[in-house]
Amino acid sequence: MALLDKAIGRRNFLKGGAAAIAVAGLSGCVPDGKDASDPAVESAKAHAVESDAAIVNGEGEWVTVDCWGNCGGRCINRVFVKDGVVLRQKTDDMKEDTVETPQQRSCPRGHQMRQHVFNANRIKYPMKRKSWQPGGGENSHGDLRGEEGWQRISWDEALDYVAQELKRVYDEYGPRSVVCMGTDWPVLNLLGGRLQWNGTESYGNWYNAPVRMGGNIGNGLPDCLVGNDRMDLKNADTIVFYGMNPAWHSAGNPMYYYRLAKEAGTEFVYVGPEYNVSASVLEARWVRVRPGTDTAFLLAVAYEMIRLDDEQGNIIDWDFLHRCTVGFDAESMPAEAVINENFQAYVLGEYDGVPKTREWATEICGTPVEDITWYAGQMRKTRDVMLLHNYAPSRYRGSTDLPQLFLTVACMGGHLGRSGNAVAATFSIESANSGTKLVKLGDPAIGGVKIGAGVASVVVPKNTLEYSELPKPTIWKDMDEGHYTGYGDYRNGALDNGWVKKDGYLPPKEFDFDPKIIVNDYHNPLQATEDVNRGIKVFKKMDMVVNIEYRFTLTSQYADILLPCFTAWEGNLDPDKGELQVATNGIMRLSRAQCNRDYALFSRPAVQPLFESKNESWIYVEIAKRWGFKESDVFSVSDMQSYFNRIAGAEVMDDDGVTYKTLVTISQEDIDAWGVEGEPQQGVISLKDVLEQGYYQVPRTKDDNHGFYGYEDFVKDPEENPRSSASGKLEIYCQSKADAINWLGFGSEEVKPYPTFHTTTYQESFANWERKEKGAYPFIMYQPHYLRRAHTCFDEGVWIREAWPNPVYISAEDAAAKGIETGDTVLIHNDAGKIVRIASVLNTLMPGCIAVPHGSRTYLDPETGIDFGGNENMLVDHKTQDDFMPQCDGYNSCLVDFEKYNGKPLAADCQFEPVLWTEE
């Protein structure tokens, strides 16, 4: 019930003890049964604040605001604003919470957004590093980056510095000397383009195979939009969480949907190296698999399914395999096959003499043999099984064929295209609720070019520089050495996602280059990219580093010019309060990220831009003007037009489950007030109402026409509804996959068209695998996404730091061997760097691996080289790059050692002072 609900009864309002006393203290009343002299009443009065009275008396308004982390929850956060100041924050309480129309409640990250937006580390105005001067070389004083203070400068000074220095470098060195680490910096394309990184980051090896073998790229995300919708979860006998922890990485409603399935009788299975909180909440059976060894495990599962089917029958769905797939056995080989080999024969050992038995696998993956057999039995065709993953298992070296193998096991049981059965990613906005959107926002650019990941671009100039992509896993190494190989863009291409190939794409090509300038916007690449120490070295070598940001990140610390942008909470939609403006920073252009399947956010600014911050688009236009260009040379439409287009183009699916209708009613008065172009239209809800409400949600019922089963049409009639693969079917033998990878010539061996086993990081941790002699760095360190933050975002708040202390997780067995207990300070190290963390010793983690949560800020001690912030990327370097795909980040394949730290014990990082700067 909303606090401002005027119908709220006194009894309901006052129930709650301390809350009742606090409210009474504000109003001058005394609750029933309480004496005015009661110490509790006096205490409540002392703690009462003016904002409580403002909310009770309705002196401001609740505004639905954005939560821009890409964790995927797309939860509702609302702030109470009075006189342009945010006084309180809450989540969704605007409707009754039902299964059909659930409240979209935010997670702890969202709860503390107020501490993030109004944080001490906000960049208030343009800044210049003290000793930096334009002109390059010694003028840059690059050795002092990250180590000296700042001086405040005007916007004109800052923009003049940036424009002049960029023009100098373009004229003297060319576009390959400018590297964009952020989203776009479209203004650079006016001078001939720029280099940028290219990596699979979140997706690991999952990006290449799915669309080639008949899978899907949904909303720009591999293997998405092919799961089933949330209402169908309860129809599964078993739901497999493969390497997933949605309670942390997609907090919000997804775990609620899974809990409802659990209550309806669905059993859960968790596969991975640790029994995480999601598995615990859902009482999942744990199938232990060492980090990065999933291909060994799943090949043994396939072997067991074949064996059990021979012995018992009713395990493998042979009808499904022969109708809907190619390449499982000799009978189903595709016409495109170049070699006469099939998956079943490989699993049985006919080609390499190694049957992929459970005994073979357990030595590698560590899974008990009885668990492999049990899991194979769970995959049988007579059970309804949903196989869900979250990409993490493919962020390892040796996982090249994991996506194809994951789908293959699902196909062996026929677990696609029907109620209770699915095989898909459940990631970001797809988490626990897949399928065609029931409500969707319009295209910000109205027909603008799609620039990747489903992003609609309003940018006019495109990057026409050929071979402009630096493989992200080696970006600091390549920039340091002045040499890179261009391989193409893994997601900005056609059907095959842009991987280079024989027909129509450029071959790999090597370049010597001389990087002079790094520019960044709204991201935090120095903190969030592998090999931080080498990244710092590269930053110090630059002539200029420019960062557009709203907060003082590690990337900001090592920059020269800071250009403060405002957040999505800031702007103005009221013509009476000045210029109309909405935020366009980086990810805020991702209109697809404003929706999950059932509902769309219509967030709006809550406060005016803070301090001297400007919109990112304004910054680009002002730079362009200094080169003689105009606004229309950079953006096809204004920020307000883009914002309007998203709303005006919003659609909601009709009751028939097929057609869409206009969502928002817009009048000519609305159009005139915003000064945009458009036509009046009639929809389901008015512009005023949808902005006041802040969202639109489609109610569900069990009998509606909005249910969704991934691959349903294809499975019913493969001939009439072919997939995107060469054969039109799901390809267990996929010639296209093998050709694309092998043609690159990056791998030391050729991959097969069907999924096979490749050496794992676990095996590489041994100096001698045959004799089981461990190497210098015998532990695999993987980096789970953590509830405290989304990547490096939202980490500044004291509340969330107190609640989630960011330890290193160590198995009880490994901790005992090293004399470590929970609470001890631990030094973790390898050749790349050193970090310290406080130990959390667990019985729920497999020995031989440790977990350091992803995204922590670096606090580097220059004397010892130790990072006291615990940034895992201090230890991950270019050697984790995938064996076959150069753009693939295998950062979980990080080998380390650790021991009890002999220095001063590490304080909880909620006690760390904010990273600030000097101002003059």
Side-chain angles (χ1 to χ4, degrees):
M1 181 178 291
L3 187 58
L4 292 184
D5 187 343
K6 300 303 182 183
I8 188 169
R10 181 176 182 275
R11 178 172 298 180
N12 287 334
F13 185 76
L14 292 183
K15 70 181 180 181
I21 297 172
V23 172
L26 280 169
S27 62
C29 301
V30 179
D32 294 341
K34 293 290 182 181
D35 187 272
S37 62
D38 190 307
V41 173
E42 293 301 317
S43 176
K45 288 180 179 179
H47 289 88
V49 291
E50 182 182 356
S51 58
D52 295 330
I55 295 171
V56 171
N57 296 327
E59 296 171 3
E61 65 171 337
W62 286 102
V63 178
T64 298
V65 290
D66 207 345
C67 182
W68 51 88
N70 62 347
C71 55
R74 304 316 308 155
C75 312
I76 289 177
N77 286 280
R78 289 168 65 78
V79 295
F80 188 80
V81 182
K82 179 187 177 186
D83 299 329
V85 178
V86 172
L87 302 179
R88 284 288 185 271
Q89 183 180 343
K90 66 176 180 178
T91 185
D92 185 11
D93 62 357
M94 293 173 283
K95 58 183 177 300
E96 183 181 358
D97 189 28
T98 67
V99 173
E100 293 76 16
T101 312
Q103 293 176 352
Q104 305 292 328
R105 300 175 185 169
S106 63
C107 77
R109 288 183 288 241
H111 291 341
Q112 63 95 53
M113 280 288 289
R114 190 159 53 107
Q115 278 201 346
H116 180 69
V117 173
F118 307 109
N119 197 276
N121 79 339
R122 279 296 298 258
I123 301 175
K124 301 181 183 70
Y125 27 72
M127 307 282 285
K128 183 184 81 69
R129 184 169 58 84
K130 283 185 176 180
S131 67
W132 180 86
Q133 294 297 325
E138 294 183 357
N139 294 331
S140 301
H141 297 282
D143 58 312
L144 296 177
R145 282 193 182 97
E147 300 172 17
E148 66 173 337
W150 300 81
Q151 65 185 58
R152 179 180 179 178
I153 58 177
S154 69
W155 268 108
D156 280 338
E157 288 178 290
L159 294 169
D160 286 346
Y161 279 136
V162 173
Q164 292 167 12
E165 197 65 357
L166 280 168
K167 190 67 167 60
R168 178 186 70 81
V169 168
Y170 270 97
D171 289 344
E172 294 182 13
Y173 301 98
R176 293 189 201 279
S177 289
V178 177
V179 181
C180 176
M181 310 294 295
T183 303
D184 199 31
W185 267 74
V187 68
L188 300 180
N189 298 331
L190 296 172
L191 297 183
R194 70 281 189 272
L195 294 179
Q196 62 193 70
W197 69 27
N198 185 258
T200 60
E201 295 187 282
S202 294
Y203 318 117
N205 266 302
W206 229 284
Y207 222 103
N208 180 47
V211 74
R212 292 181 181 277
M213 64 187 186
N216 202 50
I217 301 292
N219 283 326
L221 306 174
D223 217 19
C224 279
L225 284 182
V226 287
N228 296 3
D229 74 277
R230 65 179 176 89
M231 301 291 279
D232 191 55
L233 296 175
K234 67 181 185 301
N235 295 322
D237 295 322
T238 301
I239 293 178
V240 176
F241 280 3
Y242 207 103
M244 286 172 49
N245 189 7
W248 280 7
H249 61 64
S250 292
N253 274 23
M255 278 300 289
Y256 170 60
Y257 301 147
Y258 292 128
R259 184 168 61 82
L260 291 176
K262 174 69 176 177
E263 292 172 357
T266 298
E267 297 176 356
F268 283 79
V269 176
Y270 172 75
V271 181
E274 89 290 5
Y275 193 72
N276 60 37
V277 64
S278 300
S280 178
V281 167
L282 297 167
E283 299 177 325
R285 174 158 176 166
W286 182 19
V287 176
R288 297 160 175 79
V289 176
R290 288 190 180 109
T293 64
D294 301 275
T295 52
F297 168 71
L298 288 175
L299 285 169
V301 168
Y303 183 96
E304 284 295 279
M305 290 180 72
I306 296 169
R307 183 183 68 82
L308 292 172
D309 191 73
D310 285 342
E311 293 180 359
Q312 306 171 10
N314 280 333
I315 299 293
I316 295 177
D317 190 335
W318 292 102
D319 174 69
F320 183 93
L321 287 175
H322 290 148
R323 281 193 315 111
C324 300
T325 77
V326 295
F328 179 81
D329 56 12
E331 299 176 31
S332 58
M333 293 296 288
E336 298 80 14
V338 172
I339 59 175
N340 187 27
E341 296 181 7
N342 63 78
F343 176 73
Q344 179 177 238
Y346 168 76
V347 170
L348 296 176
E350 295 183 15
Y351 305 132
D352 58 5
V354 181
K356 308 309 178 290
T357 65
R358 59 183 192 169
E359 290 77 16
W360 164 83
T362 189
E363 183 181 25
I364 301 167
C365 65
T367 312
V369 292
E370 57 271 19
D371 282 359
I372 296 174
T373 300
W374 177 85
Y375 189 90
Q378 290 292 298
M379 297 301 105
R380 65 185 182 272
K381 70 177 187 178
T382 55
R383 285 187 67 82
D384 292 322
V385 181
M386 291 187 182
L387 291 144
L388 306 177
H389 69 87
N390 202 243
Y391 307 129
S394 73
R395 300 171 192 148
Y396 291 91
R397 292 163 53 84
S399 66
T400 299
D401 286 338
L402 177 60
Q404 191 179 16
L405 181 55
F406 190 77
L407 179 61
T408 296
V409 170
C411 289
M412 291 174 70
H415 299 303
L416 292 82
R418 54 195 172 92
S419 177
N421 293 266
V423 55
T426 174
F427 175 80
S428 185
I429 54 174
E430 294 291 304
S431 293
N433 194 18
S434 188
T436 306
K437 288 186 180 298
L438 303 183
V439 58
K440 56 185 180 180
L441 297 180
D443 184 346
I446 306 184
V449 177
K450 302 295 182 185
I451 61 170
V455 182
S457 176
V458 299
V459 171
V460 176
K462 302 303 173 187
N463 187 14
T464 57
L465 182 66
E466 289 187 340
Y467 296 102
S468 63
E469 310 287 342
L470 296 171
K472 186 171 180 287
T474 59
I475 190 166
W476 302 135
K477 174 179 178 291
D478 293 345
M479 291 181 69
D480 187 21
E481 296 176 353
H483 184 86
Y484 79 97
T485 302
Y487 292 96
D489 183 346
Y490 80 97
R491 51 169 135 174
N492 289 357
L495 179 64
D496 68 342
N497 309 312
W499 292 121
V500 290
K501 62 178 184 180
K502 294 179 181 177
D503 301 319
Y505 282 80
L506 299 171
K509 185 175 180 179
E510 296 188 31
F511 290 89
D512 290 324
F513 74 124
D514 189 6
K516 295 292 185 181
I517 291 178
I518 290 173
V519 296
N520 175 63
D521 68 317
Y522 190 69
H523 288 66
N524 191 4
L526 187 55
Q527 183 172 330
T529 304
E530 303 94 317
D531 211 349
V532 175
N533 275 319
R534 200 161 193 180
I536 290 173
K537 178 183 178 183
V538 167
F539 267 58
K540 286 177 174 284
K541 292 171 67 173
M542 296 297 105
D543 283 356
M544 180 177 70
V545 178
V546 184
N547 197 26
I548 299 176
E549 253 288 10
Y550 65 91
R551 60 196 180 115
F552 194 73
T553 63
L554 186 69
T555 305
S556 302
Q557 180 180 335
Y558 284 86
D560 300 310
I561 303 292
L562 301 180
L563 305 177
C565 64
F566 55 77
T567 73
W569 282 26
E570 297 155 67
N572 177 40
L573 294 182
D574 186 350
D576 295 333
K577 295 181 180 179
E579 179 187 0
L580 300 181
Q581 49 187 334
V582 289
T584 57
N585 314 88
I587 201 170
M588 297 169 200
R589 288 195 183 276
L590 299 179
S591 59
R592 65 168 175 82
Q594 302 299 323
C595 307
N596 66 25
R597 184 168 194 249
D598 293 356
Y599 92 109
L601 273 173
F602 291 86
S603 58
R604 58 189 170 110
V607 297
Q608 294 284 335
L610 297 179
F611 310 108
E612 291 186 12
S613 61
K614 299 289 187 180
N615 209 355
E616 185 179 342
S617 58
W618 178 90
I619 297 171
Y620 296 141
V621 169
E622 288 300 309
I623 293 173
K625 287 179 180 178
R626 284 162 170 75
W627 296 336
F629 296 98
K630 54 186 181 297
E631 182 175 359
S632 60
D633 293 324
V634 186
F635 298 109
S636 60
V637 298
S638 69
D639 297 330
M640 283 302 300
Q641 185 70 56
S642 174
Y643 182 74
F644 174 82
N645 290 348
R646 288 198 306 171
I647 299 173
E651 296 179 315
V652 60
M653 187 175 285
D654 214 336
D655 292 339
D656 61 8
V658 177
T659 59
Y660 286 93
K661 57 186 177 183
T662 300
L663 177 61
V664 183
T665 296
I666 297 176
S667 67
Q668 187 62 51
E669 184 180 1
D670 295 329
I671 296 169
D672 294 342
W674 281 5
V676 294
E677 296 181 1
E679 298 292 333
Q681 62 187 39
Q682 188 65 37
V684 176
I685 184 173
S686 71
L687 177 62
K688 177 178 180 295
D689 288 344
V690 81
L691 287 178
E692 285 186 356
Q693 183 171 294
Y695 73 98
Y696 185 86
Q697 186 167 2
V698 178
R700 296 294 311 278
T701 67
K702 63 180 181 179
D703 299 321
D704 63 24
N705 294 313
H706 297 324
F708 182 86
Y709 310 140
Y711 298 101
E712 180 181 19
D713 292 341
F714 166 74
V715 172
K716 286 180 177 177
D717 193 336
E719 302 301 326
E720 289 296 319
N721 303 284
R723 302 300 300 172
S724 59
S725 61
S727 67
K729 295 187 177 183
L730 299 173
E731 296 194 346
I732 296 171
Y733 178 112
C734 183
Q735 194 65 53
S736 173
K737 177 211 78 172
D739 289 347
I741 295 175
N742 293 333
W743 187 68
L744 287 176
F746 185 74
S748 59
E749 59 180 309
E750 291 196 343
V751 300
K752 296 284 188 178
Y754 52 85
T756 63
F757 175 75
H758 303 284
T759 300
T760 68
T761 302
Y762 173 67
Q763 292 164 287
E764 292 172 341
S765 70
F766 289 82
N768 188 303
W769 169 252
E770 297 302 325
R771 294 198 298 265
K772 298 299 181 289
E773 296 175 358
K774 276 292 189 178
Y777 301 112
F779 294 92
I780 301 174
M781 181 192 75
Y782 66 97
Q783 304 99 47
H785 287 206
Y786 197 42
L787 190 53
R788 176 165 127 178
R789 53 186 170 261
H791 294 297
T792 72
C793 199
F794 309 152
D795 199 43
E796 291 84 359
V798 174
W799 295 339
I800 205 156
R801 283 178 169 240
E802 289 176 343
W804 303 94
N806 205 87
V808 52
Y809 297 102
I810 306 171
S811 76
E813 182 177 326
D814 291 333
K818 289 178 174 284
I820 292 172
E821 298 179 351
T822 293
D824 288 343
T825 301
V826 174
L827 175 70
I828 312 159
H829 59 94
N830 61 15
D831 291 338
K834 297 176 285 187
I835 67 174
V836 292
R837 284 289 85 202
I838 297 174
S840 177
V841 178
L842 303 175
N843 289 312
T844 54
L845 181 66
M846 293 183 75
C849 61
I850 65 172
V852 176
H854 162 58
S856 186
R857 196 194 197 285
T858 289
Y859 292 81
L860 186 61
D861 180 358
E863 294 185 6
T864 63
I866 296 175
D867 174 13
F868 287 91
N871 184 348
E872 85 288 354
N873 280 316
M874 294 292 292
L875 306 175
V876 183
D877 62 16
H878 67 277
K879 289 179 285 189
T880 61
Q881 183 180 33
D882 185 68
D883 293 314
F884 296 96
M885 302 305 300
Q887 297 95 334
C888 179
D889 296 84
Y891 45 76
N892 278 332
S893 292
C894 180
L895 295 175
V896 301
D897 201 358
F898 67 92
E899 61 260 0
K900 190 172 181 179
Y901 181 55
N902 59 12
K904 181 181 178 181
L906 184 67
D909 55 12
C910 63
Q911 300 177 27
F912 287 11
E913 291 294 325
V915 181
L916 298 175
W917 53 89
T918 57
E919 302 171 1
E920 294 182 358

